[in-house]
Amino acid sequence: MSFDRIVRFVPKGEDNKILIGEPANSSVDVGVAVRKGEDVQVKVYSGKSVLDAGSPTGETAVIGRVLSPLTREEVGTIRCIGLNYKKHAEEAKMAIPDIPTLFLKPSTALADPWPAPTLIPKHTIASDSADYESELAVVIGRDAKNVSEADALDYVLGYTASNDISSRASQFAQTQWCYSKGFDGACPLGPVLVSTRLVPDVGALRIRGLRNGRVMQESGLTDLIFSVQKIVSFLSQGTTLPKGTVIITGTPAGVGFARKPQEMLRDGDEFVVEIQPHIGSLYNVMKNEE
């Protein structure tokens, strides 16, 4: 592994180019800095993909626009774990599961961070049921099948932040979650991919979700019901997880539908998924689909 934190981006003033590289400032929260309009210098890498990053070229560039760390072609089908925080299970009034609950998002759900808009699908606007779910995302670095828990982290390339955008009206109208959570752009990812070398234990991370600056979700990842090792191992049994597979690992307590009164996402709202240390802040600004 050649990087600690890597970002995929469009360089400032060169809209037709896409680069990858490591932020020159190892402690900068790329999402916050870009949202504030600050210049973020990046040490450019020779590779075209975070899955094969190459090495530093000696050149630098300034971020113009942050992109998802991976492309839709690279991620394939996104694996999602439902009900994976103890306190979220309590607020949803659901029993703690014995095995991970899996649902899927299509590759078309993958989306870039702000300034790309996060869409509320046209047919769901009237129900006022768009909701946020702050999540840690795991990226698989090499094909994995029938992996043991003991070896699972050997297959993980790194971690980033995701927002499992959900339409609750559609979700609660049926027993399967793929439809209500699989709309175009319903899985923003970013801002940086952080290596397992920098984060050897996700239990040391803390996650927050902020709606228009107000903290809605806050938890240590010690509240996870199923560990990253358990999830990767479980999902790989009998099924190949190709290199580039993204697994989002569940959300902590504090989602909008469980609040009294409910607090849903609406046109113009800003939502931030913050995972510290190292990963930083994924910014999304909601927009009604026209």
Side-chain angles (χ1 to χ4, degrees):
M1 186 182 298
S2 59
F3 66 86
D4 285 330
R5 300 197 312 155
I6 199 161
V7 60
R8 180 170 163 265
F9 66 102
V10 174
K12 196 171 186 178
E14 299 183 82
D15 290 346
N16 295 321
K17 184 182 288 188
I18 295 176
L19 300 174
I20 62 170
E22 189 133 17
N25 181 343
S26 62
S27 62
V28 68
D29 185 326
V30 169
V32 169
V34 170
R35 182 66 165 149
K36 289 180 176 179
E38 298 173 357
D39 283 351
V40 178
Q41 293 280 347
V42 176
K43 300 175 184 176
V44 176
Y45 274 54
S46 60
K48 302 298 183 185
S49 167
V50 299
L51 300 176
D52 187 14
S55 56
T57 63
E59 299 177 355
T60 62
V62 175
I63 294 176
R65 180 161 52 92
V66 180
L67 303 175
S68 163
L70 298 126
T71 67
R72 290 177 175 178
E73 292 74 24
E74 289 172 327
V75 301
T77 301
I78 299 166
R79 273 70 167 183
C80 315
I81 303 300
L83 210 68
N84 195 31
Y85 282 76
K86 301 179 189 75
K87 290 179 181 177
H88 177 51
E90 292 171 8
E91 74 174 353
K93 296 179 173 57
M94 298 178 73
I96 301 293
D98 295 322
I99 60 173
T101 300
L102 171 68
F103 64 96
L104 307 173
K105 289 178 184 268
S107 61
T108 48
L110 185 71
D112 297 327
W114 178 88
T118 301
L119 295 179
I120 300 174
K122 185 186 303 184
H123 72 289
T124 69
I125 293 170
S127 66
D128 190 28
S129 62
D131 206 351
Y132 53 84
E133 292 193 6
S134 306
E135 308 205 12
L136 175 76
V138 178
V139 176
I140 298 297
R142 59 190 176 105
D143 290 2
K145 184 177 181 181
N146 296 332
V147 172
S148 69
E149 288 186 44
D151 295 335
L153 292 186
D154 294 339
Y155 293 82
V156 174
L157 178 64
Y159 305 104
T160 190
S162 65
N163 192 347
D164 177 12
I165 303 292
S166 307
S167 171
R168 299 301 188 192
S170 297
Q171 181 180 356
F172 298 144
Q174 52 189 237
T175 57
Q176 297 289 333
W177 300 343
C178 298
Y179 175 74
S180 60
K181 291 170 170 278
F183 299 130
D184 288 355
C187 191
L189 213 65
V192 301
L193 182 68
V194 174
S195 72
T196 54
R197 180 173 59 209
L198 204 58
V199 181
D201 175 18
V202 300
L205 299 174
R206 289 196 63 82
I207 187 168
R208 297 200 306 168
L210 300 92
R211 176 177 175 265
N212 298 328
R214 178 185 167 205
V215 177
M216 311 297 282
Q217 297 180 283
E218 184 166 13
S219 177
L221 269 77
T222 50
D223 194 46
L224 283 173
I225 296 168
F226 302 108
S227 67
V228 170
Q229 295 93 318
K230 174 65 177 179
I231 291 168
V232 171
S233 175
F234 176 82
L235 295 181
S236 75
Q237 299 308 305
T239 302
T240 300
L241 303 177
K243 179 180 180 178
T245 295
V246 170
I247 305 167
I248 62 175
T249 56
T251 195
V255 295
F257 87 87
R259 291 179 170 272
K260 294 182 174 52
Q262 293 184 342
E263 299 196 33
M264 313 311 288
L265 294 173
R266 299 187 179 98
D267 187 66
D269 280 351
E270 175 191 85
F271 195 85
V272 182
V273 179
E274 175 196 275
I275 305 179
Q276 298 290 4
H278 308 307
I279 294 173
S281 302
L282 167 66
Y283 278 78
N284 302 133
V285 176
M286 308 305 297
K287 179 177 174 56
N288 285 345
E289 184 181 32
E290 297 175 355

